[in-house]
Amino acid sequence: MKLAVITSLVAGAAAFTSTPSPAFKTSSSTQLFAGPFKAKVQYVPCIATEDLPAPGQATSGVAGGLAICIAVDENGSVYALGDKCPPINQPLSFGRVAGGCIEDPVLGTKFNLKTGEVEGKWCPGGVGKLLGGLFDPSGVPVYPVKTGKGTVDVQVDVNAKANFESQYWSGVLDAQGKANG
């Protein structure tokens, strides 16, 4: 049974590695994609301040349509990172915060809270040893964050989701298979 599960995981991960993709580069910029909508970077509410986790923990929120991980370090400083943890996109907000990093709860990779870069080994734990070898190390995006007025606000490109979705077809096909006449 264990062999079947491991084989399924490896085969599933391999399905996503057929086309080489460029390594993800993290930066302090919140402009994620260029698309038909001009970037509009602004602070938007993500979670209520009363929902901030205890020091050493993290929680999830949504800002501008993007999944955000709000992490609080041991000193009470608040950080915002992308909530999709590479390489398999599980929530980073389930991770443990310690030593200026947040640790991926499944694969064990540690990401720097300030830069989003990988700290230490890539996918060092459990199933991560199998999956980590299939993917190049990549970080997570980081976002400026501020607290006050009852909310935790995160600076994001509010048009990023619309730009991402604009690359996909949407509509209803007519009898001839055309979307718009």
Side-chain angles (χ1 to χ4, degrees):
M1 181 67 178
K2 289 181 184 178
L3 181 59
V5 171
I6 291 172
T7 304
S8 295
L9 285 172
V10 171
F16 295 103
T17 62
S18 62
T19 305
S21 60
F24 180 79
K25 302 212 187 250
T26 58
S27 69
S28 60
S29 172
T30 58
Q31 183 176 346
L32 299 177
F33 302 104
F37 302 100
K38 186 176 179 181
K40 185 177 180 184
V41 178
Q42 63 187 41
Y43 280 96
V44 294
C46 185
I47 64 170
T49 51
E50 63 191 31
D51 294 333
L52 271 173
Q57 296 182 352
T59 191
S60 62
V62 175
L66 302 174
I68 304 291
C69 169
I70 301 293
V72 180
D73 71 5
E74 302 91 348
N75 300 323
S77 297
V78 179
Y79 299 90
L81 303 96
D83 199 25
K84 295 191 180 204
C85 193
I88 56 175
N89 291 335
Q90 74 276 6
L92 185 59
S93 55
F94 293 154
R96 188 180 66 227
V97 180
C101 295
I102 184 167
E103 183 178 344
D104 173 347
V106 177
L107 305 178
T109 305
K110 292 182 180 179
F111 300 95
N112 186 293
L113 292 171
K114 293 180 182 178
T115 65
E117 296 293 327
V118 175
E119 297 267 328
K121 291 185 177 183
W122 169 248
C123 299
V127 133
K129 291 179 182 178
L130 291 172
L131 294 177
L134 299 173
F135 301 92
D136 290 330
S138 62
V140 294
V142 296
Y143 304 96
V145 63
K146 64 181 181 179
T147 58
K149 301 179 188 171
T151 61
V152 175
D153 298 335
V154 178
Q155 187 183 47
V156 297
D157 176 2
V158 295
N159 288 334
K161 182 180 179 195
N163 282 329
F164 178 78
E165 290 174 347
S166 71
Q167 299 175 22
Y168 291 89
W169 174 85
S170 64
V172 177
L173 293 177
D174 63 12
Q176 296 177 346
K178 294 186 253 174
N180 46 356

